[in-house]
Amino acid sequence: QMPSIWFEVGLHCLPKSDACPLELAGFSFAGAPGVVIGHNDRIAWGFTNVGPDVQDIYIEKINPRQPNQYEVNGAWVEMQTRDETIQVAGGQPVTITVRTTRHGPVLWEDDKDIQEFSQESGLALPEQYRLALRWTALEPSSTFPALWLMNKARNWDEFRAAAALFDVPAQNFVYADVDGNIGYQMPGRIPIRAGGDGRTYVPGWTDEYE
């Protein structure tokens, strides 16, 4: 059975000082610095997912003569490529090539999948195309610095300053402190879209849908 995503953690400086001010308890998950949800000796916080639409699928027009090139505003541009090795339990490692456009990774390469999509999508598609995923979680973010500042926050203003950096995933934050204050904040990076609302596939070869 897989372990839980969350695990209980306490961080206590002994002795506590300006150089080591931590007095924290709560819950965290693997790879995150400090406490994700919990309290220090001054403030407490929790959150739930907001659930906004932060993913977009772009149809990329592919150069029929060069499968690693895609169109951007009338010009062919090279995709970025990298090899990733997937370790297989009880088997040999598998190496795949990941291709990325300006919008993000290409979702699939199998000709059968592409043909089925072409037949079922009902869209006017280019002769050669791929689908690329743009997702806020794949872009550089300041979520971990936000958590570290939240762990050290002493009041509402410091908590809000930390929360302002929490961009992925968007969260409903609740707050309370030892002075009797309560608060709510909803930080998160949510796309402002041109030419659509994120519910449908959009052309990737023009800037009209950025």
Side-chain angles (χ1 to χ4, degrees):
Q1 186 174 2
M2 295 294 289
S4 171
I5 294 174
W6 296 96
F7 62 91
E8 195 168 8
V9 61
L11 299 173
H12 308 282
C13 289
L14 298 175
K16 185 180 176 184
S17 65
D18 291 340
C20 187
L22 298 181
E23 184 63 37
L24 287 160
F27 289 82
S28 191
F29 53 83
V35 170
V36 176
I37 295 176
H39 66 87
N40 60 28
D41 54 344
R42 291 284 308 171
I43 73 168
W45 68 95
F47 52 73
T48 61
N49 289 319
V50 175
D53 180 4
V54 294
Q55 297 181 337
D56 293 274
I57 304 296
Y58 285 87
I59 304 167
E60 304 287 18
K61 189 184 297 184
I62 303 301
N63 186 346
R65 297 183 179 87
Q66 173 49 266
N68 279 334
Q69 291 182 343
Y70 66 106
E71 185 178 322
V72 177
N73 296 319
W76 296 118
V77 176
E78 292 287 338
M79 293 186 190
Q80 295 180 341
T81 62
R82 69 181 187 277
D83 291 334
E84 291 192 3
T85 300
I86 301 170
Q87 303 297 328
V88 179
Q92 295 297 315
V94 175
T95 299
I96 63 171
T97 298
V98 177
R99 298 197 296 165
T100 303
T101 74
R102 63 177 180 156
H103 296 121
V106 172
L107 294 182
W108 31 251
E109 300 280 2
D110 188 273
D111 288 335
K112 182 174 180 291
D113 292 335
I114 295 168
Q115 185 177 9
E116 289 180 359
F117 178 82
S118 300
Q119 294 169 348
E120 298 172 5
S121 69
L123 300 172
L125 297 166
E127 178 186 354
Q128 298 289 330
Y129 72 93
R130 291 293 187 270
L131 301 182
L133 170 66
R134 184 167 188 182
W135 181 17
T136 55
L138 298 179
E139 299 176 2
S141 77
S142 55
T143 296
F144 281 0
L147 286 174
W148 192 238
L149 289 174
M150 208 169 290
N151 282 200
K152 299 189 293 182
R154 312 298 293 166
N155 54 51
W156 172 239
D157 289 337
E158 291 182 5
F159 177 81
R160 286 195 75 199
L165 299 176
F166 197 103
D167 43 21
V168 177
Q171 297 291 308
N172 296 293
F173 275 108
V174 290
Y175 166 96
D177 63 32
V178 295
D179 296 320
N181 301 304
I182 62 172
Y184 168 86
Q185 192 80 15
M186 194 204 80
R189 182 184 297 160
I190 301 171
I192 298 173
R193 300 172 173 95
D197 59 11
R199 290 185 292 179
T200 59
Y201 303 91
V202 293
W205 55 88
T206 169
D207 287 343
E208 295 177 20
Y209 297 89
E210 292 301 298

mmCIF file of all heavy atoms in Angstrom, residues 124-163:
data_model
loop_
_atom_site.group_PDB
_atom_site.id
_atom_site.type_symbol
_atom_site.label_atom_id
_atom_site.label_comp_id
_atom_site.label_asym_id
_atom_site.label_seq_id
_atom_site.Cartn_x
_atom_site.Cartn_y
_atom_site.Cartn_z
ATOM 1 N N ALA A 124 -11.051 21.423 -37.402
ATOM 2 C CA ALA A 124 -10.286 21.615 -38.632
ATOM 3 C C ALA A 124 -8.805 21.628 -38.245
ATOM 4 O O ALA A 124 -8.305 22.616 -37.709
ATOM 5 C CB ALA A 124 -10.688 22.921 -39.305
ATOM 6 N N LEU A 125 -8.129 20.531 -38.491
ATOM 7 C CA LEU A 125 -6.760 20.354 -38.015
ATOM 8 C C LEU A 125 -5.756 20.521 -39.147
ATOM 9 O O LEU A 125 -6.068 20.241 -40.308
ATOM 10 C CB LEU A 125 -6.604 18.963 -37.398
ATOM 11 C CG LEU A 125 -7.466 18.699 -36.157
ATOM 12 C CD1 LEU A 125 -7.499 17.207 -35.841
ATOM 13 C CD2 LEU A 125 -6.945 19.480 -34.970
ATOM 14 N N PRO A 126 -4.534 20.965 -38.831
ATOM 15 C CA PRO A 126 -3.483 21.027 -39.858
ATOM 16 C C PRO A 126 -3.164 19.632 -40.382
ATOM 17 O O PRO A 126 -3.499 18.613 -39.767
ATOM 18 C CB PRO A 126 -2.285 21.617 -39.096
ATOM 19 C CG PRO A 126 -2.854 22.257 -37.883
ATOM 20 C CD PRO A 126 -4.074 21.464 -37.520
ATOM 21 N N GLU A 127 -2.499 19.591 -41.526
ATOM 22 C CA GLU A 127 -2.111 18.302 -42.114
ATOM 23 C C GLU A 127 -1.252 17.494 -41.146
ATOM 24 O O GLU A 127 -1.463 16.305 -40.939
ATOM 25 C CB GLU A 127 -1.346 18.553 -43.420
ATOM 26 C CG GLU A 127 -0.842 17.286 -44.088
ATOM 27 C CD GLU A 127 0.023 17.566 -45.304
ATOM 28 O OE1 GLU A 127 0.142 18.757 -45.693
ATOM 29 O OE2 GLU A 127 0.595 16.615 -45.852
ATOM 30 N N GLN A 128 -0.269 18.139 -40.563
ATOM 31 C CA GLN A 128 0.569 17.521 -39.537
ATOM 32 C C GLN A 128 0.449 18.362 -38.270
ATOM 33 O O GLN A 128 0.592 19.593 -38.319
ATOM 34 C CB GLN A 128 2.036 17.460 -39.984
ATOM 35 C CG GLN A 128 2.289 16.631 -41.229
ATOM 36 C CD GLN A 128 2.118 15.148 -40.961
ATOM 37 O OE1 GLN A 128 2.350 14.679 -39.851
ATOM 38 N NE2 GLN A 128 1.715 14.404 -41.981
ATOM 39 N N TYR A 129 0.200 17.718 -37.147
ATOM 40 C CA TYR A 129 0.006 18.479 -35.914
ATOM 41 C C TYR A 129 0.372 17.617 -34.706
ATOM 42 O O TYR A 129 0.492 16.397 -34.787
ATOM 43 C CB TYR A 129 -1.449 18.952 -35.789
ATOM 44 C CG TYR A 129 -2.417 17.827 -35.471
ATOM 45 C CD1 TYR A 129 -2.750 17.523 -34.157
ATOM 46 C CD2 TYR A 129 -2.955 17.049 -36.479
ATOM 47 C CE1 TYR A 129 -3.595 16.473 -33.854
ATOM 48 C CE2 TYR A 129 -3.802 15.993 -36.196
ATOM 49 C CZ TYR A 129 -4.125 15.708 -34.884
ATOM 50 O OH TYR A 129 -4.950 14.651 -34.589
ATOM 51 N N ARG A 130 0.525 18.279 -33.573
ATOM 52 C CA ARG A 130 0.656 17.637 -32.275
ATOM 53 C C ARG A 130 -0.105 18.500 -31.264
ATOM 54 O O ARG A 130 -0.409 19.666 -31.530
ATOM 55 C CB ARG A 130 2.112 17.499 -31.836
ATOM 56 C CG ARG A 130 2.934 16.507 -32.656
ATOM 57 C CD ARG A 130 2.460 15.083 -32.448
ATOM 58 N NE ARG A 130 3.335 14.101 -33.089
ATOM 59 C CZ ARG A 130 3.182 13.660 -34.325
ATOM 60 N NH1 ARG A 130 2.198 14.155 -35.076
ATOM 61 N NH2 ARG A 130 3.994 12.765 -34.828
ATOM 62 N N LEU A 131 -0.377 17.928 -30.094
ATOM 63 C CA LEU A 131 -1.008 18.678 -29.014
ATOM 64 C C LEU A 131 0.030 18.940 -27.928
ATOM 65 O O LEU A 131 0.776 18.040 -27.536
ATOM 66 C CB LEU A 131 -2.184 17.898 -28.421
ATOM 67 C CG LEU A 131 -3.321 17.536 -29.383
ATOM 68 C CD1 LEU A 131 -4.429 16.815 -28.643
ATOM 69 C CD2 LEU A 131 -3.861 18.773 -30.082
ATOM 70 N N ALA A 132 0.071 20.173 -27.435
ATOM 71 C CA ALA A 132 1.010 20.556 -26.379
ATOM 72 C C ALA A 132 0.229 21.086 -25.180
ATOM 73 O O ALA A 132 -0.800 21.746 -25.331
ATOM 74 C CB ALA A 132 1.990 21.615 -26.877
ATOM 75 N N LEU A 133 0.724 20.779 -24.001
ATOM 76 C CA LEU A 133 0.074 21.167 -22.750
ATOM 77 C C LEU A 133 0.751 22.378 -22.141
ATOM 78 O O LEU A 133 1.952 22.335 -21.819
ATOM 79 C CB LEU A 133 0.118 20.006 -21.749
ATOM 80 C CG LEU A 133 -0.303 20.328 -20.315
ATOM 81 C CD1 LEU A 133 -1.794 20.684 -20.250
ATOM 82 C CD2 LEU A 133 0.009 19.161 -19.381
ATOM 83 N N ARG A 134 -0.020 23.461 -21.964
ATOM 84 C CA ARG A 134 0.454 24.582 -21.160
ATOM 85 C C ARG A 134 -0.240 24.519 -19.813
ATOM 86 O O ARG A 134 -1.470 24.470 -19.735
ATOM 87 C CB ARG A 134 0.155 25.921 -21.833
ATOM 88 C CG ARG A 134 0.750 27.074 -21.035
ATOM 89 C CD ARG A 134 0.776 28.372 -21.782
ATOM 90 N NE ARG A 134 1.526 29.369 -21.016
ATOM 91 C CZ ARG A 134 1.702 30.623 -21.396
ATOM 92 N NH1 ARG A 134 1.188 31.048 -22.532
ATOM 93 N NH2 ARG A 134 2.395 31.461 -20.648
ATOM 94 N N TRP A 135 0.563 24.508 -18.734
ATOM 95 C CA TRP A 135 0.043 24.299 -17.383
ATOM 96 C C TRP A 135 0.880 25.139 -16.428
ATOM 97 O O TRP A 135 2.112 25.128 -16.483
ATOM 98 C CB TRP A 135 0.138 22.813 -17.047
ATOM 99 C CG TRP A 135 -0.378 22.393 -15.714
ATOM 100 C CD1 TRP A 135 -1.202 23.082 -14.871
ATOM 101 C CD2 TRP A 135 -0.093 21.148 -15.071
ATOM 102 N NE1 TRP A 135 -1.462 22.349 -13.744
ATOM 103 C CE2 TRP A 135 -0.796 21.158 -13.836
ATOM 104 C CE3 TRP A 135 0.667 20.034 -15.407
ATOM 105 C CZ2 TRP A 135 -0.731 20.093 -12.942
ATOM 106 C CZ3 TRP A 135 0.729 18.973 -14.525
ATOM 107 C CH2 TRP A 135 0.022 19.006 -13.303
ATOM 108 N N THR A 136 0.214 25.862 -15.553
ATOM 109 C CA THR A 136 0.942 26.722 -14.622
ATOM 110 C C THR A 136 1.940 25.931 -13.769
ATOM 111 O O THR A 136 2.983 26.457 -13.380
ATOM 112 C CB THR A 136 -0.026 27.469 -13.699
ATOM 113 O OG1 THR A 136 -0.867 26.527 -13.027
ATOM 114 C CG2 THR A 136 -0.896 28.440 -14.489
ATOM 115 N N ALA A 137 1.635 24.672 -13.477
ATOM 116 C CA ALA A 137 2.520 23.863 -12.630
ATOM 117 C C ALA A 137 3.825 23.493 -13.332
ATOM 118 O O ALA A 137 4.774 23.064 -12.666
ATOM 119 C CB ALA A 137 1.805 22.592 -12.186
ATOM 120 N N LEU A 138 3.889 23.649 -14.656
ATOM 121 C CA LEU A 138 5.112 23.335 -15.392
ATOM 122 C C LEU A 138 6.002 24.560 -15.580
ATOM 123 O O LEU A 138 7.095 24.450 -16.134
ATOM 124 C CB LEU A 138 4.760 22.744 -16.764
ATOM 125 C CG LEU A 138 3.983 21.429 -16.746
ATOM 126 C CD1 LEU A 138 3.686 20.972 -18.170
ATOM 127 C CD2 LEU A 138 4.752 20.353 -15.985
ATOM 128 N N GLU A 139 5.535 25.723 -15.132
ATOM 129 C CA GLU A 139 6.318 26.942 -15.249
ATOM 130 C C GLU A 139 7.023 27.243 -13.924
ATOM 131 O O GLU A 139 6.590 26.776 -12.865
ATOM 132 C CB GLU A 139 5.399 28.096 -15.653
ATOM 133 C CG GLU A 139 4.715 27.867 -16.998
ATOM 134 C CD GLU A 139 3.731 28.962 -17.363
ATOM 135 O OE1 GLU A 139 3.602 29.927 -16.576
ATOM 136 O OE2 GLU A 139 3.093 28.845 -18.425
ATOM 137 N N PRO A 140 8.114 27.994 -13.962
ATOM 138 C CA PRO A 140 8.806 28.330 -12.703
ATOM 139 C C PRO A 140 7.853 28.985 -11.712
ATOM 140 O O PRO A 140 7.006 29.801 -12.094
ATOM 141 C CB PRO A 140 9.896 29.307 -13.159
ATOM 142 C CG PRO A 140 10.128 28.972 -14.597
ATOM 143 C CD PRO A 140 8.789 28.560 -15.143
ATOM 144 N N SER A 141 7.972 28.596 -10.449
ATOM 145 C CA SER A 141 7.069 29.129 -9.431
ATOM 146 C C SER A 141 7.846 29.469 -8.162
ATOM 147 O O SER A 141 8.993 29.063 -7.987
ATOM 148 C CB SER A 141 5.954 28.127 -9.110
ATOM 149 O OG SER A 141 6.431 27.092 -8.286
ATOM 150 N N SER A 142 7.175 30.197 -7.281
ATOM 151 C CA SER A 142 7.791 30.595 -6.006
ATOM 152 C C SER A 142 7.049 29.970 -4.832
ATOM 153 O O SER A 142 7.034 30.532 -3.739
ATOM 154 C CB SER A 142 7.798 32.124 -5.885
ATOM 155 O OG SER A 142 6.485 32.648 -6.055
ATOM 156 N N THR A 143 6.424 28.804 -5.048
ATOM 157 C CA THR A 143 5.635 28.172 -3.992
ATOM 158 C C THR A 143 6.491 27.773 -2.793
ATOM 159 O O THR A 143 6.100 28.015 -1.643
ATOM 160 C CB THR A 143 4.889 26.941 -4.550
ATOM 161 O OG1 THR A 143 3.960 27.386 -5.547
ATOM 162 C CG2 THR A 143 4.137 26.220 -3.453
ATOM 163 N N PHE A 144 7.638 27.180 -3.027
ATOM 164 C CA PHE A 144 8.459 26.754 -1.893
ATOM 165 C C PHE A 144 9.019 27.936 -1.095
ATOM 166 O O PHE A 144 8.989 27.906 0.143
ATOM 167 C CB PHE A 144 9.576 25.822 -2.358
ATOM 168 C CG PHE A 144 9.104 24.400 -2.592
ATOM 169 C CD1 PHE A 144 7.776 24.043 -2.394
ATOM 170 C CD2 PHE A 144 9.991 23.424 -3.010
ATOM 171 C CE1 PHE A 144 7.339 22.739 -2.612
ATOM 172 C CE2 PHE A 144 9.562 22.112 -3.224
ATOM 173 C CZ PHE A 144 8.235 21.775 -3.015
ATOM 174 N N PRO A 145 9.511 29.000 -1.738
ATOM 175 C CA PRO A 145 9.873 30.183 -0.947
ATOM 176 C C PRO A 145 8.698 30.738 -0.144
ATOM 177 O O PRO A 145 8.875 31.206 0.985
ATOM 178 C CB PRO A 145 10.353 31.181 -2.000
ATOM 179 C CG PRO A 145 10.848 30.333 -3.117
ATOM 180 C CD PRO A 145 9.939 29.139 -3.141
ATOM 181 N N ALA A 146 7.484 30.661 -0.718
ATOM 182 C CA ALA A 146 6.298 31.129 0.011
ATOM 183 C C ALA A 146 6.087 30.308 1.278
ATOM 184 O O ALA A 146 5.791 30.856 2.345
ATOM 185 C CB ALA A 146 5.063 31.041 -0.888
ATOM 186 N N LEU A 147 6.229 28.996 1.181
ATOM 187 C CA LEU A 147 6.046 28.136 2.352
ATOM 188 C C LEU A 147 7.073 28.464 3.434
ATOM 189 O O LEU A 147 6.734 28.505 4.626
ATOM 190 C CB LEU A 147 6.171 26.669 1.943
ATOM 191 C CG LEU A 147 5.007 26.068 1.163
ATOM 192 C CD1 LEU A 147 5.355 24.661 0.707
ATOM 193 C CD2 LEU A 147 3.734 26.063 2.005
ATOM 194 N N TRP A 148 8.306 28.688 3.019
ATOM 195 C CA TRP A 148 9.351 28.959 4.012
ATOM 196 C C TRP A 148 9.083 30.274 4.729
ATOM 197 O O TRP A 148 9.233 30.382 5.943
ATOM 198 C CB TRP A 148 10.707 28.966 3.327
ATOM 199 C CG TRP A 148 11.867 28.957 4.269
ATOM 200 C CD1 TRP A 148 12.864 29.871 4.354
ATOM 201 C CD2 TRP A 148 12.138 27.992 5.290
ATOM 202 N NE1 TRP A 148 13.744 29.534 5.353
ATOM 203 C CE2 TRP A 148 13.327 28.377 5.941
ATOM 204 C CE3 TRP A 148 11.504 26.835 5.720
ATOM 205 C CZ2 TRP A 148 13.883 27.661 6.990
ATOM 206 C CZ3 TRP A 148 12.058 26.112 6.772
ATOM 207 C CH2 TRP A 148 13.228 26.519 7.388
ATOM 208 N N LEU A 149 8.642 31.292 3.986
ATOM 209 C CA LEU A 149 8.293 32.572 4.616
ATOM 210 C C LEU A 149 7.060 32.430 5.507
ATOM 211 O O LEU A 149 6.961 33.072 6.559
ATOM 212 C CB LEU A 149 8.035 33.630 3.540
ATOM 213 C CG LEU A 149 9.269 34.119 2.782
ATOM 214 C CD1 LEU A 149 8.850 35.057 1.656
ATOM 215 C CD2 LEU A 149 10.245 34.816 3.728
ATOM 216 N N MET A 150 6.118 31.589 5.101
ATOM 217 C CA MET A 150 4.924 31.342 5.911
ATOM 218 C C MET A 150 5.306 30.702 7.245
ATOM 219 O O MET A 150 4.752 31.034 8.295
ATOM 220 C CB MET A 150 3.984 30.414 5.124
ATOM 221 C CG MET A 150 2.522 30.560 5.430
ATOM 222 S SD MET A 150 1.568 29.653 4.204
ATOM 223 C CE MET A 150 1.843 30.685 2.764
ATOM 224 N N ASN A 151 6.250 29.778 7.200
ATOM 225 C CA ASN A 151 6.700 29.119 8.419
ATOM 226 C C ASN A 151 7.273 30.110 9.424
ATOM 227 O O ASN A 151 7.150 29.929 10.632
ATOM 228 C CB ASN A 151 7.773 28.074 8.095
ATOM 229 C CG ASN A 151 7.220 26.786 7.522
ATOM 230 O OD1 ASN A 151 7.861 25.748 7.555
ATOM 231 N ND2 ASN A 151 6.015 26.824 6.975
ATOM 232 N N LYS A 152 7.896 31.189 8.919
ATOM 233 C CA LYS A 152 8.559 32.161 9.783
ATOM 234 C C LYS A 152 7.694 33.383 10.089
ATOM 235 O O LYS A 152 8.101 34.237 10.871
ATOM 236 C CB LYS A 152 9.873 32.616 9.136
ATOM 237 C CG LYS A 152 10.869 31.490 8.923
ATOM 238 C CD LYS A 152 12.227 31.998 8.498
ATOM 239 C CE LYS A 152 12.195 32.612 7.122
ATOM 240 N NZ LYS A 152 13.543 33.066 6.686
ATOM 241 N N ALA A 153 6.483 33.468 9.469
ATOM 242 C CA ALA A 153 5.634 34.657 9.641
ATOM 243 C C ALA A 153 5.211 34.815 11.094
ATOM 244 O O ALA A 153 4.931 33.843 11.796
ATOM 245 C CB ALA A 153 4.411 34.562 8.737
ATOM 246 N N ARG A 154 5.107 36.096 11.552
ATOM 247 C CA ARG A 154 4.764 36.393 12.942
ATOM 248 C C ARG A 154 3.413 37.078 13.083
ATOM 249 O O ARG A 154 2.903 37.216 14.192
ATOM 250 C CB ARG A 154 5.828 37.305 13.573
ATOM 251 C CG ARG A 154 7.260 36.864 13.341
ATOM 252 C CD ARG A 154 7.538 35.520 13.944
ATOM 253 N NE ARG A 154 7.469 35.570 15.404
ATOM 254 C CZ ARG A 154 7.399 34.487 16.179
ATOM 255 N NH1 ARG A 154 7.354 33.277 15.628
ATOM 256 N NH2 ARG A 154 7.355 34.605 17.488
ATOM 257 N N ASN A 155 2.820 37.514 11.934
ATOM 258 C CA ASN A 155 1.571 38.253 11.988
ATOM 259 C C ASN A 155 0.890 38.181 10.624
ATOM 260 O O ASN A 155 1.416 37.577 9.681
ATOM 261 C CB ASN A 155 1.818 39.707 12.415
ATOM 262 C CG ASN A 155 2.856 40.396 11.538
ATOM 263 O OD1 ASN A 155 2.769 40.382 10.314
ATOM 264 N ND2 ASN A 155 3.862 40.989 12.172
ATOM 265 N N TRP A 156 -0.289 38.839 10.539
ATOM 266 C CA TRP A 156 -1.101 38.787 9.318
ATOM 267 C C TRP A 156 -0.383 39.402 8.116
ATOM 268 O O TRP A 156 -0.413 38.842 7.008
ATOM 269 C CB TRP A 156 -2.422 39.495 9.566
ATOM 270 C CG TRP A 156 -3.306 39.711 8.369
ATOM 271 C CD1 TRP A 156 -3.746 40.892 7.884
ATOM 272 C CD2 TRP A 156 -3.880 38.702 7.520
ATOM 273 N NE1 TRP A 156 -4.557 40.692 6.787
ATOM 274 C CE2 TRP A 156 -4.653 39.351 6.541
ATOM 275 C CE3 TRP A 156 -3.809 37.301 7.502
ATOM 276 C CZ2 TRP A 156 -5.349 38.679 5.548
ATOM 277 C CZ3 TRP A 156 -4.504 36.612 6.501
ATOM 278 C CH2 TRP A 156 -5.261 37.303 5.540
ATOM 279 N N ASP A 157 0.291 40.531 8.313
ATOM 280 C CA ASP A 157 0.966 41.179 7.195
ATOM 281 C C ASP A 157 2.083 40.302 6.640
ATOM 282 O O ASP A 157 2.251 40.187 5.412
ATOM 283 C CB ASP A 157 1.528 42.541 7.620
ATOM 284 C CG ASP A 157 0.427 43.575 7.849
ATOM 285 O OD1 ASP A 157 -0.673 43.397 7.288
ATOM 286 O OD2 ASP A 157 0.676 44.545 8.590
ATOM 287 N N GLU A 158 2.848 39.673 7.507
ATOM 288 C CA GLU A 158 3.920 38.795 7.049
ATOM 289 C C GLU A 158 3.346 37.540 6.384
ATOM 290 O O GLU A 158 3.895 37.040 5.398
ATOM 291 C CB GLU A 158 4.825 38.413 8.219
ATOM 292 C CG GLU A 158 5.644 39.586 8.743
ATOM 293 C CD GLU A 158 6.570 39.183 9.877
ATOM 294 O OE1 GLU A 158 6.652 37.962 10.197
ATOM 295 O OE2 GLU A 158 7.208 40.073 10.466
ATOM 296 N N PHE A 159 2.233 37.050 6.915
ATOM 297 C CA PHE A 159 1.582 35.884 6.299
ATOM 298 C C PHE A 159 1.077 36.230 4.898
ATOM 299 O O PHE A 159 1.241 35.456 3.958
ATOM 300 C CB PHE A 159 0.429 35.405 7.173
ATOM 301 C CG PHE A 159 -0.330 34.256 6.591
ATOM 302 C CD1 PHE A 159 0.139 32.958 6.709
ATOM 303 C CD2 PHE A 159 -1.528 34.469 5.898
ATOM 304 C CE1 PHE A 159 -0.555 31.893 6.151
ATOM 305 C CE2 PHE A 159 -2.234 33.418 5.348
ATOM 306 C CZ PHE A 159 -1.751 32.115 5.482
ATOM 307 N N ARG A 160 0.439 37.393 4.741
ATOM 308 C CA ARG A 160 -0.072 37.812 3.432
ATOM 309 C C ARG A 160 1.070 37.985 2.427
ATOM 310 O O ARG A 160 0.928 37.644 1.252
ATOM 311 C CB ARG A 160 -0.843 39.124 3.541
ATOM 312 C CG ARG A 160 -2.205 39.002 4.168
ATOM 313 C CD ARG A 160 -3.017 40.254 3.889
ATOM 314 N NE ARG A 160 -3.490 40.278 2.510
ATOM 315 C CZ ARG A 160 -3.895 41.377 1.887
ATOM 316 N NH1 ARG A 160 -3.861 42.543 2.501
ATOM 317 N NH2 ARG A 160 -4.331 41.320 0.649
ATOM 318 N N ALA A 161 2.182 38.531 2.874
ATOM 319 C CA ALA A 161 3.333 38.704 1.985
ATOM 320 C C ALA A 161 3.853 37.351 1.509
ATOM 321 O O ALA A 161 4.242 37.193 0.345
ATOM 322 C CB ALA A 161 4.433 39.486 2.702
ATOM 323 N N ALA A 162 3.845 36.363 2.399
ATOM 324 C CA ALA A 162 4.266 35.013 2.011
ATOM 325 C C ALA A 162 3.246 34.386 1.069
ATOM 326 O O ALA A 162 3.602 33.785 0.052
ATOM 327 C CB ALA A 162 4.447 34.153 3.257
ATOM 328 N N ALA A 163 1.957 34.532 1.389
ATOM 329 C CA ALA A 163 0.905 33.941 0.569
ATOM 330 C C ALA A 163 0.901 34.503 -0.845
ATOM 331 O O ALA A 163 0.553 33.812 -1.804
ATOM 332 C CB ALA A 163 -0.456 34.159 1.226
#
